[in-house]
Amino acid sequence: MVAELTALRDQIDEVDKALLGLLACRLALVAEVGEVKSRYGLPIYAPDREAAMLRSRREEAEALNVPADLIEDVLRRVMRESYASENDNGFKTLCSQLRPVVIVGGRGQMGRMFEKMLRLSCYEVRLLEKDDWPQADSLLADAGMVIVSVPIHVTEQVITQLPRLLEDCIANRLKNDYNQCPDMWQKIQLIVIKIMSLGYILVDLASLKNGPLQAMLAAHSGPVVGLHPMFGPDSGSLATQVVVYCDARQPEAYQWLLEQIQVWGARLHRISAVEHDQNMMFIQALRHFATFAYGLHLAEENVQLEQLLALSSPIYRFELVMVGLLFAQDPQLYADIIMSSENNLALIKRYYARFGEAIALLEGKDKAAFIASFKKVEHWFGDYAKRFQVESRALLKQANDSRI
Amino acid sequence: MVAELTALRDQIDEVDKALLGLLACRLALVAEVGEVKSRYGLPIYAPDREAAMLRSRREEAEALNVPADLIEDVLRRVMRESYASENDNGFKTLCSQLRPVVIVGGRGQMGRMFEKMLRLSCYEVRLLEKDDWPQADSLLADAGMVIVSVPIHVTEQVITQLPRLLEDCIANRLKNDYNQCPDMWQKIQLIVIKIMSLGYILVDLASLKNGPLQAMLAAHSGPVVGLHPMFGPDSGSLATQVVVYCDARQPEAYQWLLEQIQVWGARLHRISAVEHDQNMMFIQALRHFATFAYGLHLAEENVQLEQLLALSSPIYRFELVMVGLLFAQDPQLYADIIMSSENNLALIKRYYARFGEAIALLEGKDKAAFIASFKKVEHWFGDYAKRFQVESRALLKQANDSRI
């Protein structure tokens, strides 16, 4: 028996080593593709090519009696690695005449992500942190784009101060240079350059959009756009991630930026600032707060986490992981997000009231009413409930594969 | 440019086809391993072999400049497929002298899963559904094991009725046969056989353990064990899944069953019924109810689900998927689980009260208190918060890969 098993396992190991060799070879080929794409400014995420390729491999798999989902899952995993390594070649510069980019708050995680992507695309990037305010003048004076990436509770304040500071310092310089300049033609050139330098693109990356956008429009007369990257900064790459944008002023001036973000591999989603913020109340404030309250409850009930995990189904384990994840983050960030608006509090209180109503169903042992409410929500989810089943089945299996 | 890209992509396609060939070859080898394991009754899940093999491949990957996580993720995915196909060979029968197994509620999903696994292991299996009660007598009379797999709200009731029914019908038969039998020696044999047939193993699969276990011990004088499979019945295989068990009476009589479950690939976790149920209040009742209330809130706020999904980060998308998933299930099941005990209601009400206290922090705009509470929970999660970060990073990337 042992000899039989050992012989078979040795063969499996040989197959796995060959597989490893193929992966190495594939990554090398993908790096070459990345190099070509970078040279011609093509987006690294090519959904059509991806879909066509997966379709072919699935068909071939079926002919070989290999489950089609297996080859698709394996190739998707390999492609994800490829996107990350396609970064290494840098990206085509879509706006080569752009003056330097200043990232205010550029040492934060999302700021550093944009710094990296911009530098990989050969833009000049300068960082402006709290401590750099004395040098803000020289850092900002000739900026072609200013990206505000500071905590949400100071975003509007920074936006209001920044353009004023910039305009003041440009006006002062202009006055000095103008007075010192003997030649009338050069004086006119100076004025043109300085006026141009006020035409920088103002961008913010905050997780709320209406307030910052209004503040940017009020404080700056040039092009303005709001971005919200919908992913954690530890993703390492923008490939296949969603970046939401809100148009604000002179979209033709920042069109290249939206295209550049697509070259980095992200998917763009356009929305109005008001609609964006309404959705964020649910996605951020309510969900974070509910998770916070749930974590608090677990801690105060003093349940044994180890035992809870040992007894978890893959779904519940994943939900626990999501709860724990919140508490690995910076509490200040969550306090800021949740307390950023009175609307958040109102929404949370409406949830609390409905929770209370649902408890009344339990207290009345009213199974029929519970089931009726349940069906109402089922109806609201519509076709998505079934789609989610398909989506989660694969994911929960993966969750179980990698169970620590 | 097009020619350059096409040439590279053709090469990638060739690599992918070779990869597909290797997968086909690997699955064939694994089927042979399954055949050997089945012949010798070895568990299909071999964690030590798995860990050693992954360690070697990771080292080799690093030598080839292939990310070690890539080969591990790919191999884990392939192994999952392998476990499913190892089923096809059937499993060794660890208790070949076992009389027929009767699954009460065997047409439910979990019942069918056990039916499949038992048949694959060459046990005789009979199903007993509501409609089969008139034939219960003949179905049960010579059972070697009775597995109760009925909805939680009727589990105890079924357990109480079942052994009584069985004892009555055996007593009646015994009386008839005894009276009709002319030979004293045969009469004694009859009595022995009938007494033996009362020694069947009584098992339940309910999601609560204390009540059913007490009911089983009270109703049946033979061996008793409680099982709780910690996974959805659509998993297709028990490989790597967790099955919780609570010892109750004569463990030596059902030891083979626990080993058989391991042969099917599951991981066993032993716990007392009381501790099990305490944890289930959190894992099932509280979590399901909180999810129910959250879904109800979304539906009543009438937010646009499509837009919510478009704006979701991978984490939030996954949380929404988990919420939607609940509402794709049978509401009766959740009503039964949540309303199965007064303790559940009490726990849910304590959660509600803490939620209210947390809202008070928001109303008082008390960021410092919010942060202090947050840190308390962070402390409670301890090392797990960091471990969860590692675990979820990979998972969320996979979630994004397969985004529908």
Side-chain angles (χ1 to χ4, degrees), chain A residues 166-186:
Chain A
L166 189 53
E167 284 177 35
D168 285 354
C169 83
I170 288 177
N172 282 334
R173 279 202 180 186
L174 184 58
K175 203 165 67 186
N176 288 344
D177 293 358
Y178 190 84
N179 291 341
Q180 283 162 20
C181 185
D183 178 69
M184 180 53 84
W185 183 237
Q186 280 184 4

Side-chain angles (χ1 to χ4, degrees), chain B residues 320-341:
Chain B
L320 259 186
V321 166
M322 293 292 103
V323 175
L325 214 54
L326 182 93
F327 293 94
Q329 310 290 324
D330 175 17
Q332 180 75 46
L333 176 73
Y334 288 101
D336 290 346
I337 291 176
I338 296 167
M339 298 189 190
S340 65
S341 142

Side-chain angles (χ1 to χ4, degrees), chain B residues 140-210:
Chain B
L140 284 164
D142 58 343
M145 179 160 74
V146 175
I147 300 179
V148 179
S149 175
V150 296
I152 181 73
H153 66 294
V154 292
T155 301
E156 291 181 41
Q157 187 193 333
V158 167
I159 289 172
T160 309
Q161 287 170 355
L162 205 64
R164 188 130 324 144
L165 173 83
L166 188 54
E167 285 177 34
D168 285 353
C169 81
I170 287 175
N172 281 335
R173 280 201 179 187
L174 184 58
K175 205 164 66 185
N176 289 342
D177 292 358
Y178 190 84
N179 291 339
Q180 284 162 18
C181 188
D183 178 72
M184 180 52 86
W185 182 238
Q186 280 184 2
K187 279 182 197 243
I188 292 173
Q189 268 188 311
L190 257 176
I191 295 173
V192 170
I193 289 169
K194 294 305 173 187
I195 289 174
M196 266 180 58
S197 71
L198 290 175
Y200 64 91
I201 304 167
L202 186 56
V203 188
D204 85 302
L205 304 179
S207 58
L208 289 174
K209 295 269 63 88
N210 198 39

Side-chain angles (χ1 to χ4, degrees), chain A residues 356-368:
Chain A
E357 289 162 25
I359 287 181
L361 297 182
L362 295 192
E363 283 189 312
K365 298 189 192 309
D366 193 348
K367 270 196 196 179

Side-chain angles (χ1 to χ4, degrees), chain B residues 11 13 37 57 71 78 95 105 117-118 131 177 193 219 231 239 247 251 273 291 299 328 333 344 396:
Chain B
Q11 287 184 60
D13 285 348
K37 284 186 181 172
R57 293 301 89 74
I71 187 71
V78 176
C95 183
M117 301 311 284
L118 286 164
D131 304 340
D177 292 358
I193 289 169
F231 50 90
D247 281 321
T291 303
L333 176 73
N344 289 342
L396 290 170

